[in-house]
Structure formats: structure tokens, C-alpha cells
Amino acid sequence: MKLCVFQGTFNPIHSIHMAMAGFVKKVYNFDTILFIPAYKPPHKEFDDDLANHRLQMVKIAIEGNTSFSISNIEFQNERYSYTYLTIEELYKRYKIEGKIAFIIGMDAFREVTEWYEADKLKTLVDFIVFPRGQEIDKDRLALLRYKGYNFTIAKMDAVDLSSSMVRERIVKGQSVAGLIPLKVMEYIRENGLYKQE
């Protein structure tokens, strides 16, 4: 199986997440893009109820799309959602062709050396890096390449949209039409999510 992982908090999942996954599936021809919502992300405030809502929103967003799948692997234990441990477990569960690919934003990739067991993680995955409206730091990328991080830069037009921007619009009562899948918006309304930050 040619596997690409898209791990994140997805709080909430939005249209650029979907566009990134679709771009990678089409351009790199993976068998599936595996969405992995983080259960207990390190360095972020944790809310068990919201974690389960985040999982449900990803399920709703990708429903019916045969290019995408979802794993609740990080919900199956109580530990922090460290990428290295998740990737290690995926190699045990699936018959992987080559290396697992890993979708990541440029902001996060610049700091990847600070991640848990980063030196081990870099041997397990090939990164697909998405810029987000900012200039590419070529010196930083060159340093990461020198340190053994294998990556490609996705050639998708950069759009500066984040989950925090979506949440802020919802809190203010502003429209998020086109920014998140319609069924996800309906789920957010039905469950009263993001009314207060």
C-alpha cells in the first residue's frame, strides 16, 4: 500500500485541508490519504468532548470519498498524540510500499526538529510540505535537508486559511460558506461548537 498520512487537530477540518489531501492524492498517486485526527495533541489544551467532535467532523467531511480514509488510532490510548509513535504503529498495522508520506504545513515543518523522537521519525516518513502564504525559508529547508529530512514542496497555490480563522468567524457569527464542508457546518451548528473560545 502506498500510504500518505494527514495528521492534525482538524479543529475544525476546512476546505484547504480537503484541497491539500486531494492535491496529494492526484499528484502523487497514493492508494489512500489517511486522515488521523490527534486525540491529545502535545502543547495544546485538551478537551475530551471536543476531541470526539473533531473526529466526527473529519468522518463527515470525507464520507463517500474513496480517495480518503480515517483512523482513530490516536484515540485508542490515553497518551499524547506523538507523531513518531503513531507512524511506528502504522508500519505494524499495514503492509507499506516504500515509506509513509506525511502531509505537513510549512510552519510546522520548520520546527520539526523539536518534535518527539524527531531523529527517528525522519527515517520513517517522507514529508510533503505545503507553504501557507508565506515566503519559503530556503536556508531553513536546506538545513533540514542536510539533517536528513526527506521532503518535497507541494506545488499547490498557497491559501492562508487556518482552523483558528474559521473558529473566529463562527464566534463572530460571520459566514464560513466555502471555508468548510457544508455537512461539517451543519454538525457544528447542531452541536453548538465554537460559540465561545
Side-chain angles (χ1 to χ4, degrees):
M1 170 191 280
K2 288 183 65 179
L3 179 64
C4 181
V5 165
F6 197 175
Q7 180 193 43
T9 50
F10 302 115
N11 188 28
I13 188 167
H14 56 64
S15 59
I16 302 306
H17 290 137
M18 301 296 290
M20 290 163 65
F23 176 89
V24 170
K25 178 69 171 67
K26 181 179 178 181
V27 172
Y28 298 95
N29 198 32
F30 290 101
D31 291 317
T32 191
I33 309 297
L34 183 65
F35 284 79
I36 302 181
Y39 174 63
K40 190 185 288 187
H43 317 304
K44 291 191 178 181
E45 191 173 322
F46 176 69
D47 181 323
D48 189 63
D49 286 339
L50 184 57
N52 285 291
H53 284 306
R54 291 189 288 101
L55 179 69
Q56 290 304 316
M57 286 188 282
V58 176
K59 285 181 180 178
I60 290 166
I62 70 170
E63 188 177 18
N65 190 326
T66 57
S67 296
F68 303 155
S69 53
I70 185 171
S71 172
N72 68 347
I73 186 171
E74 296 193 350
F75 284 70
Q76 294 170 12
N77 57 65
E78 294 298 318
R79 70 188 180 207
Y80 283 108
S81 301
Y82 290 116
T83 300
Y84 167 71
L85 298 176
T86 298
I87 296 297
E88 215 181 23
E89 184 62 29
L90 291 176
Y91 275 106
K92 295 174 184 175
R93 295 190 184 192
Y94 298 98
K95 188 174 182 180
I96 306 295
E97 178 184 332
K99 286 166 74 174
I100 292 174
F102 190 89
I103 295 171
I104 188 171
M106 183 69 76
D107 290 349
F109 188 59
R110 278 199 298 247
E111 309 302 325
V112 72
T113 56
E114 304 301 316
W115 289 18
Y116 175 76
E117 296 286 19
D119 281 341
K120 293 179 181 177
L121 175 65
K122 72 184 180 185
T123 69
L124 299 180
V125 299
D126 292 331
F127 294 94
I128 301 175
V129 184
F130 281 82
R132 195 181 79 184
Q134 74 269 48
E135 286 195 25
I136 295 174
D137 185 344
K138 292 181 179 178
D139 290 340
R140 179 62 177 165
L141 292 180
L143 178 62
L144 289 170
R145 183 87 70 189
Y146 174 77
K147 288 184 173 184
Y149 291 85
N150 191 42
F151 62 90
T152 56
I153 304 297
K155 304 297 183 183
M156 189 179 95
D157 291 339
V159 179
D160 192 11
L161 177 67
S162 66
S163 293
S164 61
M165 293 177 190
V166 172
R167 294 196 306 271
E168 186 176 334
R169 291 185 68 87
I170 294 171
V171 167
K172 292 179 178 177
Q174 298 171 343
S175 172
V176 291
L179 301 182
I180 60 176
L182 179 59
K183 288 186 177 180
V184 172
M185 185 66 247
E186 291 171 354
Y187 182 91
I188 289 170
R189 286 179 181 148
E190 287 169 6
N191 290 278
L193 303 182
Y194 309 125
K195 286 187 175 179
Q196 292 182 337
E197 287 287 275

